[in-house]
């Protein structure tokens, strides 16, 4: 069936350091960013000094909001969320600012409480990684929100004055003083939030992750669900906290304003690792904004898998054969489920389903370049719900779906992220998808008239009575033989 009609939603997020407009295209459970503009206005810059909003930050924020309103009048999204966080919440002149924004722009701001901000950050993490466990930390310009992820979803959260503006940014960075403040402010809540896994939300921590990628030579610069051990994160944080501002500004991609706040974010992370006894840090590109969208989805949609739905959305928009992905999964999954699992928690089945949804992704691309282009797109697609090894697995499968010879453009990325067994399985899955597409002429109803099965030593391809001719031909034998060869199985094509 055709994919549901998309709708647009917009979020204006007025934070202590930045004000941002993001327009999203929502296709069921799939969330796509189609417009993203940020202004580092520094609205809460003076909060730690006098408890008031920065006058210059107010002017910059108002200018940004007037521009955002003009954009939204043209885009006309179905839903608009306008929220403000710690600066507007904590400042003594916050209510006057909210009133001024409404008078000058017509925008009505919802000022989130600290507990609401924490909850929406957690919902955002769950929107991007439904199986996430542990604690979410959302670091903004003025505050840090902590919230534990419970089996039922977001638990109780707290807000702490641990953003750069609350740690004395205007006085200049003093690492030891900032460490003392962090330790003092974390101490009353540390026992309640101790955990192995920490999900880091916020621009400063995303920048810290990108810096770690560069320093460690990590080959895939995709921030979402990038995982770092606590020891590696501690090394990176300490390195940043000991750099001068000039040194940080010389780092490729580091803005002047971000280099000013990054050492504070690094020390906060150091303190969290120590106080909460963290073992793993996972970066989330999803946060409060995506949490607002996730909450607004119908419960049935929220329960869908974001990886499968994102791949289905991407494939449906660029493919030409409706229902092909579902048909391929119904045909391949029963065979591949007999193979030993290579991923935890039932992820093999999810990855098979997702890869099948991408089968038609290259339909509109030139056949000479199709495999390379599809590989690049799948490897870096902004689709949630996949760890980096799973990205590599799907990219390898997508390449193998279009090419018998396996020479992807970034083989070193695959070899870094995948074990040999996982890489071989991805190639076999891609070859099976290619077999199913070519066998049926990309017709799901016709494909359902045949059956693929795997036992201990043999891959068997059969057809229903009256459809034996479907299995004839050199190409069928060739495609089926490729799957069998990768898996180390004998091939049996039964046309009788």
């Amino acid at each position: 069936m055709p994919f549901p009609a998309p709708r647009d939603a917009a979020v204006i997020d007025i934070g202590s350091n930045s004000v941002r407009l993001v327009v999203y295209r929502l296709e069921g459970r799939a969330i796509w960013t189609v417009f993203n503009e940020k202004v580092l206005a520094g609205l809460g810059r003076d909060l730690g000094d006098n408890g008031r909003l920065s006058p210059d930050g107010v002017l910059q924020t108002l200018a940004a909001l007037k521009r955002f309103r003009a954009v939204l009048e043209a885009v006309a999204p179905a839903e608009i969320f306008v929220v403000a966080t710690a600066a507007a919440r904590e400042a003594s002149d916050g209510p006057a600012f909210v009133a001024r924004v409404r008078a000058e722009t017509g925008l009505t701001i919802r000022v989130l409480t600290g507990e609401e901000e924490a909850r929406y950050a957690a919902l955002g993490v769950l929107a991007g990684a439904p199986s996430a466990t542990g604690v979410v930390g959302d670091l903004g310009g003025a505050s840090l929100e902590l919230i534990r992820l419970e089996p039922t979803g977001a638990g109780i959260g707290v807000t702490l004055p641990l953003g750069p503006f609350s740690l004395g940014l205007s006085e200049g960075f003093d690492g030891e003083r900032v460490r003392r403040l962090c330790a003092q402010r974390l101490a009353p809540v540390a026992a309640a939030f101790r955990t192995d896994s920490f999900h880091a939300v916020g621009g400063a921590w995303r920048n810290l992750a990108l810096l770690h990628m560069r320093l460690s030579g990590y080959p895939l610069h995709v921030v979402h669900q990038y995982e770092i051990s606590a020891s590696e994160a501690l090394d990176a944080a300490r390195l940043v906290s000991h750099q001068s501002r000039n040194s940080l500004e010389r780092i490729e991609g580091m803005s002047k304003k971000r280099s000013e706040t990054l050492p504070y974010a690094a020390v906060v992370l150091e303190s969290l690792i120590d106080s909460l006894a963290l073992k793993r840090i996972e970066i989330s590109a999803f946060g409060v904004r995506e949490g607002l969208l996730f909450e607004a989805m119908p419960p049935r949609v929220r329960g869908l898998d974001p990886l499968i739905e994102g791949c289905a959305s991407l494939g449906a928009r660029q493919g030409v054969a409706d229902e092909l992905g579902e048909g391929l999964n119904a045909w391949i999954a029963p065979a591949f489920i007999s193979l030993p699992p290579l991923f935890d928690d039932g992820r093999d089945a999810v990855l098979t389903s997702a890869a099948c949804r991408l089968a038609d992704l290259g339909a509109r691309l030139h056949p000479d370049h199709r495999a390379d282009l599809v590989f690049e797109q799948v490897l870096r697609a902004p689709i949630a719900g996949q760890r980096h090894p799973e990205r590599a697995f799907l990219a390898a499968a997508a390449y193998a779906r279009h090419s018998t010879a396996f020479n992807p453009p970034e083989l070193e990325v695959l070899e870094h992220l995948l074990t040999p067994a996982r890489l071989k399985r991805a190639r076999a899955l891609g070859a099976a998808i290619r077999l199913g597409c070519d066998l049926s002429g990309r017709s799901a109803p016709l494909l359902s008239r045949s059956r693929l099965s795997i036992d201990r030593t043999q891959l068997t391809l059969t057809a229903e009575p009256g459809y034996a001719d479907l299995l004839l031909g050199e190409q069928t034998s060739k495609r089926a033989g490729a799957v069998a060869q990768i898996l180390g199985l004998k091939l049996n094509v039964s046309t009788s």
Side-chain angles (χ1 to χ4, degrees):
M1 58 184 292
F3 208 79
R7 63 188 182 89
D8 290 343
V11 180
I12 294 177
D13 181 1
I14 304 167
S16 302
N17 191 34
S18 65
V19 54
R20 187 188 297 261
L21 167 64
V22 186
V23 180
Y24 299 90
R25 174 67 51 88
L26 305 178
E27 295 177 332
R29 179 66 170 78
I31 301 173
W32 305 100
T33 299
V34 296
F35 179 83
N36 189 337
E37 184 171 326
K38 174 184 71 174
V39 176
L40 289 172
L43 186 65
R45 177 175 292 273
D46 298 342
L47 206 56
D49 298 331
N50 56 29
R52 295 175 62 82
L53 299 175
S54 160
D56 183 58
V58 168
L59 294 177
Q60 288 192 57
T61 300
L62 282 167
L65 293 176
K66 289 173 183 178
R67 170 173 156 70
F68 293 167
R69 180 200 60 199
V71 170
L72 291 176
E73 286 175 354
V75 173
E79 294 178 279
I80 300 175
F81 302 87
V82 185
V83 296
T85 53
R89 178 173 68 237
E90 303 296 339
S92 59
D93 55 346
F97 167 75
V98 171
R100 183 176 176 184
V101 168
R102 183 169 186 177
E104 294 190 24
T105 70
L107 296 171
T108 300
I109 298 173
R110 176 186 174 189
V111 179
L112 300 179
T113 66
E115 292 75 14
E116 286 175 328
E117 187 177 357
R119 178 173 170 274
Y120 281 121
L123 287 176
V125 169
L126 291 171
S131 62
T133 59
V135 168
V136 173
D138 183 1
L139 183 64
S143 66
L144 169 71
E145 280 65 47
L146 292 176
I147 185 164
R148 185 174 287 281
L149 296 174
E150 307 289 357
T152 54
I156 296 173
V158 298
T159 185
L160 302 169
L162 288 174
F165 298 148
S166 299
L167 292 171
L169 179 70
S170 62
E171 302 171 20
F173 180 71
D174 179 336
E176 291 309 310
R177 177 177 58 82
V178 174
R179 285 183 183 86
R180 285 196 301 272
L181 286 173
C182 287
Q184 292 167 9
R185 294 173 185 181
L186 280 171
V189 303
F193 290 97
R194 286 202 174 96
T195 184
D196 288 346
S197 298
F198 183 77
H199 302 271
V201 177
W205 282 338
R206 290 195 296 272
N207 274 267
L208 193 62
L210 287 168
L211 179 60
H212 180 265
M213 289 177 182
R214 294 190 187 103
L215 293 174
S216 63
Y218 188 77
L220 182 59
H221 288 196
V222 174
V223 168
H224 188 59
Q225 293 190 256
Y226 178 59
E227 298 178 52
I228 320 173
S229 69
S231 60
E232 288 180 287
L234 205 54
D235 288 344
R238 286 172 175 163
L239 175 67
V240 168
S241 68
H242 287 90
Q243 297 298 307
S244 69
R245 184 172 171 182
N246 286 339
S247 296
L248 290 173
E249 286 177 7
R250 287 197 294 270
I251 297 172
E252 181 184 354
M254 185 71 64
S255 71
K256 183 176 181 181
K257 289 185 177 180
R258 183 61 75 189
S259 67
E260 186 180 23
T261 59
L262 196 61
Y264 294 86
V267 172
V268 172
L269 185 58
E270 279 186 59
S271 302
L272 285 166
I273 291 170
D274 180 54
S275 299
L276 306 189
L278 305 180
K279 294 181 180 178
R280 293 178 299 277
I281 289 75
E282 182 174 303
I283 308 299
S284 176
F286 281 23
V288 169
R289 294 182 293 274
E290 292 75 18
L292 290 162
L293 300 178
F294 190 54
E295 183 185 59
M297 292 178 182
R300 182 191 66 81
V301 176
R302 286 201 300 269
L304 298 173
D305 185 276
L307 176 56
I308 294 174
E309 296 303 305
C311 290
S313 171
L314 186 62
R317 292 300 162 200
Q318 299 193 32
V320 295
D322 294 340
E323 301 182 348
L324 177 60
E326 290 183 27
L328 281 165
N329 187 57
W331 189 73
I332 291 173
F336 272 64
I337 202 170
S338 65
L339 298 171
L342 298 178
F343 292 85
D344 296 331
D345 303 321
R347 293 298 291 175
D348 292 77
V350 172
L351 291 169
T352 297
S353 183
C356 289
R357 265 65 177 187
L358 295 168
D360 221 18
L361 187 59
R364 302 174 194 270
L365 301 175
H366 192 287
D368 291 351
H369 309 288
R370 191 175 283 155
D372 287 358
L373 294 172
V374 167
F375 174 88
E376 295 282 4
Q377 187 166 8
V378 173
L379 186 62
R380 294 180 173 82
I383 296 174
Q386 54 180 333
R387 298 183 183 279
H388 283 204
E390 295 174 340
R391 283 184 172 276
F393 183 90
L394 289 177
Y399 186 91
R401 181 264 179 266
H402 293 290
S403 175
T404 302
F406 194 74
N407 299 301
E410 297 178 72
L411 182 59
E412 70 280 2
V413 175
L414 303 185
E415 291 175 340
H416 183 96
L417 293 172
L418 295 175
T419 64
R422 286 178 173 180
L423 182 55
K424 184 182 0 181
R425 183 69 58 81
R427 291 181 59 195
L429 177 57
I433 292 171
R434 192 178 197 193
L435 167 62
C437 289
D438 291 353
L439 180 69
S440 64
R442 311 227 296 274
S443 166
L446 183 58
L447 183 62
S448 68
R449 300 296 186 178
S450 66
R451 182 169 179 264
L452 184 71
S453 61
I454 295 173
D455 63 22
R456 206 163 43 86
T457 62
Q458 186 168 269
L459 182 143
T460 301
L461 185 61
T462 59
E464 292 181 3
Y467 287 89
D469 289 352
L470 188 62
L471 308 184
L472 298 176
E474 180 184 355
Q475 179 161 282
T476 298
S477 296
K478 181 180 177 183
R479 298 285 186 254
V483 182
Q485 182 180 23
I486 294 169
L487 292 174
L489 301 173
K490 295 178 182 178
L491 174 63
N492 175 30
V493 178
S494 179
T495 59
S496 58

